[in-house]
Amino acid sequence: MTTAKSYAAPAKSAPLEPWSFERREPGPHDVAFDIQYCGVCHSDLHQVRDEWGRSKYPMVPGHEIVGRVTKVGSDVKKFKVGDLAGVGCLVNSCRECNNCEQGLEQYCTNGSVGTYNSFERDGVTQTYGGYSNHIVVNEDFVLHISDKLPLAAVAPLLCAGITTYSPLRYWKVGKGHKIGVLGLGGLGHMAVKFAVAFGAEVTMLSHTAAKEADAKKLGAHKFVLTSNTQNLDAVKGYFDFIIDTVSAPHDYNLYLSLLKTNGVHICVGAPPTPTEIIGFNLIGGRKSLAGSMIGGIPETQEMLDFCAEHHIVSEIEVIAMKDINEAYERMLNGDVRYRFVIDLATL
Ligand code: NAP
Ligand code: ZN
Ligand code: ZN
């Protein structure tokens, strides 16, 4: 066992505070690495505050993890000491169900193992995430990271990146498509970058007027301010797709009216409370309301390689570990441009 330093939430709604715990020694198939940077996802905040109702404490959040390998198990083939390494939202899965066989470990029918707030395959060992100084993970769930990109800005690709890349690839969004990106935060800004890279016409749908210039800088072709719903009239029946990254409850019905016939509203944002959907809004125009969760390991590596080739990274603000509680408040207030990343050297 090796003692890890971390920041943990001791209980629901309590602020995060310094905490130490034990990580296992790397087994034959494990990779151990020192964490250099970890992104701050809105899912961390939802879970720290038990908004999804399944939180385990103490909780060490963090699933946008990058660092450098310090030890490898005797049978590890993919990594050697000194390599850059990344871990996203998953650290294991059953590896034998239909979904795992297709590289869709995020949909493992026997339950994938989350990087934190989850249990290892033994069903009893709690997992702890990346707000810590080192981690030990089975090599099959460790990603290769290019040394061509700034490491801190790569970290958010491990969740915000793959969560937006995966549905855009699944629905083959590209040239000739009009897509609306709803919500310009961590996920939203990556959705804009990928949709632009894939050749789609991108409209930013944001409730924050001050983000218009940034949306254009990120590559969005149009900007619609959603806080005044009259503005939506200009884009009624306009989009082939909407990718919805909003973290707070909102009215999906409003946005279904912006889709063309056969249009798809893809939910990736995970608000904690239900919203009523009126069936007529789907029936008229054969519309789909769909969802997508992160991405499997092969596709996450594909996304990282795509980003290295096309120089795509996240727009970040690096913070010290002690500032995490303030960062959560700022994220809730929409005051993040566009992802906080913790520098673990400050731990
Ligand atoms: P974030 O950085 O906080 O961005 C959320 C954005 O939603 C905000 O920037 C804001 O954009 C918009 N928004 C927030 N409150 C709003 C409100 N009251 N009304 C309308 N719009 C509002 O969060 P994130 O890290 O991108 O995560 C977004 C959501 O995705 C979270 O629910 C998270 O849990 C979920 N998530 C899902 C997956 C998955 O696998 N599906 C993976 C990661 C995260 P504007 O100011 O532009 O309106
Ligand atoms: Zn996340
Ligand atoms: Zn499985």
Side-chain angles (χ1 to χ4, degrees):
M1 297 286 227
T2 308
T3 303
K5 290 204 292 179
S6 75
Y7 258 56
K12 179 175 172 166
S13 300
L16 274 71
E17 59 185 33
W19 187 61
S20 295
F21 65 97
E22 300 298 314
R23 297 251 192 225
R24 68 176 183 268
E25 283 304 314
H29 298 281
D30 286 336
V31 172
F33 66 95
D34 282 345
I35 300 174
Q36 294 181 3
Y37 297 101
C38 183
V40 179
C41 181
H42 207 113
S43 302
D44 299 347
L45 178 53
H46 287 311
Q47 292 176 92
V48 160
R49 299 191 178 177
D50 200 16
E51 292 175 354
W52 293 338
R54 50 171 200 226
S55 293
K56 304 168 192 28
Y57 301 97
M59 183 191 298
V60 179
H63 57 210
E64 295 183 335
I65 303 168
V66 291
R68 217 171 261 285
V69 175
T70 52
K71 250 188 203 174
V72 293
S74 52
D75 294 340
V76 167
K77 305 242 162 28
K78 277 171 60 185
F79 290 90
K80 57 181 190 326
V81 170
D83 284 352
L84 289 175
V87 168
C89 303
L90 302 171
V91 289
N92 215 338
S93 70
C94 85
R95 296 141 185 268
E96 54 189 37
C97 74
N98 189 33
N99 287 334
C100 283
E101 278 180 356
Q102 296 177 71
L104 297 170
E105 299 88 353
Q106 75 275 36
Y107 304 126
C108 174
T109 53
N110 295 311
S112 55
V113 178
T115 303
Y116 69 88
N117 196 25
S118 185
F119 290 111
E120 297 281 3
R121 299 279 303 151
D122 64 10
V124 292
T125 310
Q126 202 173 320
T127 58
Y128 299 118
Y131 297 5
S132 61
N133 61 347
H134 88 276
I135 193 164
V136 181
V137 179
N138 184 290
E139 69 167 328
D140 295 339
F141 287 77
V142 184
L143 287 309
H144 287 288
I145 303 291
S146 165
D147 57 8
K148 293 197 194 87
L149 298 174
L151 192 59
V154 167
L157 301 178
L158 274 309
C159 176
I162 185 60
T163 301
T164 48
Y165 181 94
S166 182
L168 295 178
R169 284 306 201 205
Y170 177 78
W171 274 281
K172 300 185 169 57
V173 174
K175 277 199 174 49
H177 288 138
K178 293 184 166 72
I179 184 167
V181 176
L182 185 57
L184 185 50
L187 268 57
H189 91 290
M190 292 311 307
V192 171
K193 288 191 181 203
F194 286 132
V196 169
F198 300 163
E201 184 204 277
V202 180
T203 301
M204 189 68 233
L205 301 166
S206 169
H207 83 312
T208 309
K211 292 181 184 172
E212 179 164 2
D214 284 349
K216 298 267 169 71
K217 244 190 272 167
L218 290 166
H221 305 95
K222 298 183 182 184
F223 182 91
V224 176
L225 183 61
T226 58
S227 50
N228 178 352
T229 50
Q230 279 179 1
N231 293 338
L232 299 178
D233 291 345
V235 282
K236 279 248 148 56
Y238 187 78
F239 298 111
D240 300 283
F241 301 96
I242 289 174
I243 182 164
D244 180 342
T245 75
V246 174
S247 52
H250 56 288
D251 184 5
Y252 297 93
N253 299 287
L254 201 59
Y255 298 101
L256 289 171
S257 70
L258 309 187
L259 293 173
K260 289 180 188 169
T261 305
N262 297 327
V264 186
H265 182 112
I266 307 160
C267 298
V268 288
T273 54
T275 308
E276 206 166 68
I277 305 289
I278 300 159
F280 277 114
N281 293 335
L282 295 166
I283 294 166
R286 196 164 52 196
K287 293 170 185 175
S288 304
L289 182 62
S292 183
M293 192 170 79
I294 46 174
I297 297 301
E299 194 175 42
T300 303
Q301 190 62 62
E302 175 194 308
M303 178 273 312
L304 288 165
D305 297 346
F306 179 89
C307 288
E309 192 183 332
H310 297 269
H311 302 282
I312 293 174
V313 287
S314 172
E315 304 300 312
I316 59 165
E317 177 179 337
V318 175
I319 60 166
M321 187 71 256
K322 68 175 177 40
D323 296 328
I324 185 63
N325 294 304
E326 187 197 332
Y328 280 177
E329 288 310 313
R330 287 182 56 195
M331 182 158 65
L332 264 185
N333 293 326
D335 177 23
V336 47
R337 303 283 188 276
Y338 280 91
R339 196 58 140 189
F340 292 121
V341 172
I342 303 161
D343 177 354
L344 271 310
T346 64
L347 181 62

